Amino acid sequence: MFNISVDDKKIKIDKSLSIRDFSKKYFNNNHIIAAKVNGNLKDLSDNISEDCKLSFITTDQIEGLEILRHSCAHLLGHALKQIHPEVKMVIGPVINNGFYYDVLTEKPISESELPKIEKLMKKLSKKNYNIVREVVSREKAIQVFKDRSEDYKLKLIDDIPSDETIAIYHHEEYIDMCRGPHLVNTNLLKYFKLMKVSGSYWRGDSKNESLQRIYGTAWDTQKSLDDHLEKLAEADKRDHRKLGQRLDLFHFQEESPGMVFWHNNGWFIFNSVKTFITNYLIDNNYQIIDTPQILDKSLWKKSGHLDKFSDLIYQVSSEDKSYAIKPMSCPGHIQVFNQGLKSYKDLPIKYAEFGKVHRDEPSGTLHGLLRIRAFTQDDAHIFCTTDQIESEIGSLIDNIYSIYKVFGFDKIKVELSTRPEKRVGDDEIWDLSEDSLKKALNKNKVNWTINEGDGAFYGPKIDFSLTDSLDREWQLGTIQLDFSMPERLNASYVDKDGIKKVPVMIHRAILGSIERFVGILIEEYAGNMPLWLAPTQIVLMNITSDQDTYLDYVAQKLREKGFRVACDNRNEKISLKIRENTLAKIPYLLIIGDKEIESNTISVRSRLGNDIGQMTVDKFVKMLETLVRDKSLTL
């Protein structure tokens, strides 16, 4: 017998008892799936040591769900190998809300086969196979996967450092390699579904072998699974690509892959968002500038972008000179800053640009407006002194929260991304940069987490991710602190002591890509744009041609007040007009018949089907003016 500490409670246990047996004996809870032993995540099959501190992970916790999903990826592998023994397994990681497994197969696996694979997974899970972890030598691991002709597992073993533990996991005849941890038994895998099949590449490089990726989702209860599938179905209805076509907003075509053709209605939404941000820039003392689309490659080499992003940069040549189509605006903004002598009294200087940038994204990653090759950044750079960093970042944080709120997003996740392995600048500069961002976040009482090693190559950053009504996360805003690029591109100002110094540059974007943000808004609102963003705000419909004159009179009066109005005076039944204009998601439908002419009124309906009733045009105008002024999200 010896003592351990479980969630701060002292418990005396038998020395031979495993964590798995311990959890069954003392907690009688099959949903305990892993444990933290002395702060480290362990498998339940690991033995408890004397005086250890133990806490349990359950399936309803984030870590628990990730372990469950990782185990489900192995269950997928088990079923797949029984149906297609020739398939070679590659990797099967956890992703947001699910998992996937990349495989190499000569005969493609179609989505029509997923129900068969899923059925076998359920059958295997009910067999109550213990999931056994075995720590093995490198030599044994190589032999195990060589015997099974798992070529990619052998390649992965080559990547494992010599001092790192190699573990393999068994459930019956299936063997996989993984860091773990995993569940103790397959019977805990009950609520899952295979979703789709797509293409991928070995190591994510299009120059390597083509693989197939099978996606799945897994949850701890049937209700959680059902709720997730319901959200996915709703997301499919809101798909901005479908709504973009139905509402005549934009289109894409093969002659210009990853680049959007805006139609009138979509371009109106785009420019309304742009105007809103422009007004914010003016109110916050930004200088709005515009820089060239093409710059000499030597500038991109000097800034560091060419070495870091060469695969994404479009390159052109003219008269024996090489140029790059700009993938971002920062080097151009430094060129503007460098024009004329700057004093410390001039700082901070804020340059903003709606910069059209191009990035040669892999074709397989393109996704409507959400991932494209040509897009418009609401880009800005603030040149300031070190003493001004904290206040400038504090203002930016406030601005970002207030702007997102206008569009209805109030659930924001904030991450501080720290120095990556490949970076420019010395550690002293990075220490100062990261400390400055931490102070600004804490001073503004922001709830934030660390994202280790994910900073930009020139400096740490704060990333803002919003959560939409379907609980999907979208990373949008970013604030990046840069002590290096201004020096590399010879930016300077004269300080109060008369000495030239290098300014600090704060990179910031609030929406990121305007195109992407419009795509997010279309899905968030299901195409029902708020009144101030709606391309057509009002449609007037007459019952017969007898009301044509009055319809034109009302339309003209509304247009004079600045509203965007359409007239539907087709010789069709009013019920058909109402249905079609409702499907077009026009906010207000005005019906005009003889009764309205006699009373000098209009009958008002909303696209939601609400019959608001009869009112005068003046009353209707006042109602709309209030909604537009307040940027109301509701009608």
Side-chain angles (χ1 to χ4, degrees), residues 586-613:
I586 296 171
Y588 287 101
L589 286 60
L590 307 188
I591 301 169
I592 294 174
D594 291 338
K595 182 172 59 173
E596 285 75 23
I597 294 175
E598 290 171 9
S599 59
N600 198 26
T601 60
I602 48 176
S603 287
V604 182
R605 292 175 59 94
S606 79
R607 65 186 166 206
L608 303 175
N610 299 327
D611 188 353
I612 299 172

Side-chain angles (χ1 to χ4, degrees), residues 152 265 556:
Y152 290 93
N265 288 343
Q556 183 59 30

Side-chain angles (χ1 to χ4, degrees), residues 18 20 33 42-47 67 71 74-75 78 127-136 140 144-145 148 166-189:
S18 71
R20 180 168 49 193
I33 59 174
K42 298 285 186 180
D43 289 84
L44 294 185
S45 56
D46 288 350
N47 288 329
I67 295 167
S71 300
H74 282 214
L75 185 65
H78 194 166
K127 287 183 179 285
N128 294 332
Y129 292 136
N130 286 330
I131 300 175
V132 180
R133 178 177 187 258
E134 180 185 0
V135 176
V136 297
K140 180 172 180 180
V144 164
F145 292 108
R148 286 162 174 75
I166 298 178
I168 58 177
Y169 282 82
H170 308 251
H171 27 97
E172 288 302 295
E173 84 282 3
Y174 183 71
I175 297 179
D176 211 334
M177 180 174 64
C178 190
R179 287 190 180 93
H182 283 272
L183 305 181
V184 295
N185 193 287
T186 59
N187 66 10
L188 290 172
L189 297 168

